[in-house]
Amino acid sequence: MTQQTTTEALAEDVSQAPAKVRVTVYAKPSGCQPCKATMRKLDKEGIPFNKILVHDEEKTLIDELKREATLLGVTGELPCVVVYDASTEDTHTWFGYQPTEIMKLKERLQP
């Protein structure tokens, strides 16, 4: 998969997600345990998400995720979860398996 393909997939996922809150999970194609656990937990809690596979050759995307991790002061280990709220234009990002963050997100999404 090339960078262009990933970018196209992201654009397609975003355009198909009409909800005011969009969740995107950047994960390894090999299905690392933290990536699998994150997606399982999101599914279990009924939180819809878009999955973007991050291949080793996608250096630009990897560098961007590393910069984001540096800004947050954390290690940039996948998965990377990005929550975008279209109503406020706020973005919340975390790295790794964070069940507490998922539960906070679930509470926030409940009517």
Side-chain angles (χ1 to χ4, degrees), residues 6-109:
T6 299
T7 304
E8 289 169 1
L10 177 59
E12 180 180 320
D13 287 342
V14 170
S15 68
Q16 293 178 3
K20 76 172 188 174
V21 175
R22 292 191 303 258
V23 180
T24 303
V25 178
Y26 294 88
K28 291 182 180 181
S30 61
C32 69
Q33 288 305 324
C35 297
K36 289 178 186 177
T38 297
M39 291 183 281
R40 259 194 320 266
K41 183 72 171 167
L42 288 167
D43 280 335
K44 180 182 175 192
E45 300 305 332
I47 301 170
F49 62 92
N50 298 312
K51 176 174 71 171
I52 305 293
L53 297 179
V54 180
H55 296 268
D56 290 338
E57 63 272 4
E58 298 180 275
K59 301 299 183 195
T60 303
L61 179 57
I62 292 169
D63 288 345
E64 185 177 324
L65 291 170
K66 285 180 181 179
R67 277 192 297 277
E68 183 68 23
T70 300
L71 289 172
L72 294 172
V74 298
T75 59
E77 296 180 12
L78 293 177
C80 173
V81 180
V82 179
V83 180
Y84 173 73
D85 187 333
S87 64
T88 62
E89 297 187 359
D90 287 336
T91 301
H92 178 60
T93 303
W94 73 81
F95 287 83
Y97 176 57
Q98 301 287 333
T100 305
E101 290 291 341
I102 294 170
M103 295 311 294
K104 287 180 195 175
L105 176 59
K106 180 182 177 182
E107 290 175 16
R108 182 174 157 210
L109 294 175

